Amino acid sequence: MTDTRSIFCCGCQAEVPARLTDGREIYPHRADLAPLPFWKCDACKNFVGCHHKTKNRTNPLGCIPTREIKAARQHIHQILDPIWKSGRYGRRELYSMIAHVLGVAEYHTAEIRSVDEARRVYRIVKDIGSAA
Ligand SMILES: [Zn+2]
């Protein structure tokens, strides 16, 4: 039986019926990832991982990113993580600062839906990082 769930797909820019699969399909050459759950959009072939270490192991990490958005999120983490790891701001504090500037209740990198949005967040984080 196929498990599907409605998840926002960045590739399709719409809520799509994502299909639950595992690492054997997503990363066929990574035996270590084989048992991990993923939600895949069969229309554009993009996918999202899950909070697999939690009790609800098929709970998706966020929306389904494209390759470009995934790369953009990694760029954000490269400048964001050192800020809270340095102890200058708490992680939670930093995330709420970003949310405040964005004008949203909560900020999650995994919820970024477009490259434009990622660029905006990148600039915000950069400003926070350079203001000392
Ligand atoms: Zn899609």
Side-chain angles (χ1 to χ4, degrees), residues 9 12 19 25-26 39-48 64-65 67:
C9 174
C12 299
R19 176 174 55 82
E25 175 183 349
I26 302 292
W39 293 95
K40 182 175 180 179
C41 171
D42 283 316
C44 69
K45 313 293 180 206
N46 287 298
F47 57 87
V48 65
I64 298 173
R67 218 175 264 271

Side-chain angles (χ1 to χ4, degrees), residues 36-37 50-61:
L36 300 188
C50 300
H51 291 281
H52 63 90
K53 287 178 185 162
T54 64
K55 210 187 271 178
N56 188 0
R57 67 184 300 274
T58 59
N59 194 23
L61 294 169

Side-chain angles (χ1 to χ4, degrees), residues 21-37:
T21 181
D22 61 31
R24 283 174 302 181
E25 175 183 349
I26 302 292
Y27 294 109
H29 304 294
R30 289 284 306 271
D32 54 320
L33 303 179
L36 300 188

Side-chain angles (χ1 to χ4, degrees), residues 5-21 26 38-50 60-70 73 109-114:
R5 182 190 292 209
S6 181
I7 302 177
F8 185 87
C9 174
C10 299
C12 299
Q13 283 292 305
E15 296 279 335
V16 298
R19 176 174 55 82
L20 185 63
T21 181
I26 302 292
F38 293 89
W39 293 95
K40 182 175 180 179
C41 171
D42 283 316
C44 69
K45 313 293 180 206
N46 287 298
F47 57 87
V48 65
C50 300
L61 294 169
C63 56
I64 298 173
T66 59
R67 218 175 264 271
E68 291 74 24
I69 291 172
K70 209 183 290 179
R73 288 176 183 173
T109 309
E111 294 294 345
I112 289 175
R113 293 182 168 199
S114 69

